[in-house]
Amino acid sequence: DGGITQSPKYLFRKEGQNVTLSCEQNLNHDAMYWYRQDPGQGLRLIYYSQIVNDFQKGDIAEGYSVSREKKESFPLTVTSAQKNPTAFYLCASSSGGETQYFGPGTRLLVL
Amino acid sequence: AQSVAQPEDQVNVAEGNPLTVKCTYSVSGNPYLFWYVQYPNRGLQFLLKYITGDNLVKGSYGFEAEFNKSQTSFHLKKPSALVSDSALYFCAVRATGGGNKLTFGTGTQLKVEL
């Protein structure tokens, strides 16, 4: 997990609430990614960013938003439009197209 | 489109025996292939990758994987399993020149028993 931090470790969301998951890296990587992990489904890409101030939708972007204002940071907001947000969220970073390295994850639960 | 198949949801092996976790892929062009391991409630840890060159790739913790282009496979192997190897293993693929998008398999739970 070294070099990539995610916070909080657990997050609780109320109905209709937006919540933001933090991801920070000190690896000087240009690219950053957000994945969602559900049991038995592997990892699915939500959003990714290859450079500051630019990002692209992944396979399941609906109900999520991101920003990339700094190279080190790629926060993910889970909006109220995401009707099934309960999952384990993983952030990763890479130097270009090379190996992606992952953070420790944030588990999001709905109250 | 690229895809990965991990045909076994779970693999059971006795400690000291060899282990194999299977992975097949589909991609346009030449593949970049990766194996990751995940322990409970943790992020994914990188084990090894195949980019080009020797078909047998050696990685962390004594793991290795063999790239077989004709069978489009990239099976993970270890000669002697340890109880501490018990974890969830993911295979992933991306196409050369396909940007940074990785496609992951659904994972294989490895259980090593005494």
Side-chain angles (χ1 to χ4, degrees), chain A residues 5 14 17 34 43 45 48 51 56 58 67 75-76 84 104 106:
Chain A
T5 57
K14 296 179 181 179
Q17 185 182 38
W34 274 106
L43 277 70
L45 183 64
Y48 65 106
I51 197 168
Q56 288 81 39
S67 62
L76 173 74
N84 184 24
T106 293

Side-chain angles (χ1 to χ4, degrees), chain B residues 2-34:
Chain B
Q2 55 196 39
S3 65
V4 173
Q6 293 183 243
E8 300 156 317
D9 290 335
Q10 182 160 322
V11 170
N12 297 321
V13 64
E15 188 175 52
N17 284 0
L19 69 88
T20 298
V21 182
K22 295 179 181 178
C23 171
T24 58
Y25 66 90
S26 174
V27 71
S28 298
N30 294 320
Y32 286 10
L33 293 155
F34 302 82

Side-chain angles (χ1 to χ4, degrees), chain A residues 4 38 41-42 46 61 70 72 82 98 109-110:
Chain A
I4 304 175
D38 296 280
Q41 293 194 43
I46 305 172
K70 298 187 300 182
E72 304 79 26
Q82 173 51 245
E98 292 299 317
L109 300 166
V110 177

Side-chain angles (χ1 to χ4, degrees), chain B residues 42-63:
Chain B
R42 301 291 299 277
L44 274 64
Q45 294 179 29
F46 169 71
L47 280 178
L48 53 80
K49 67 181 177 184
Y50 171 83
I51 303 297
T52 186
D54 195 348
N55 289 345
L56 184 63
V57 179
K58 294 188 182 296
S60 306
Y61 313 120
F63 284 93

Side-chain angles (χ1 to χ4, degrees), chain B residues 11-21 62-64 76-82 85 110-113:
Chain B
V11 170
N12 297 321
V13 64
E15 188 175 52
N17 284 0
L19 69 88
T20 298
V21 182
F63 284 93
E64 58 189 28
L76 181 70
K77 300 182 180 185
K78 188 175 182 182
S80 178
L82 299 172
D85 292 330
L110 174 66
K111 187 174 182 181
V112 182
E113 301 167 309

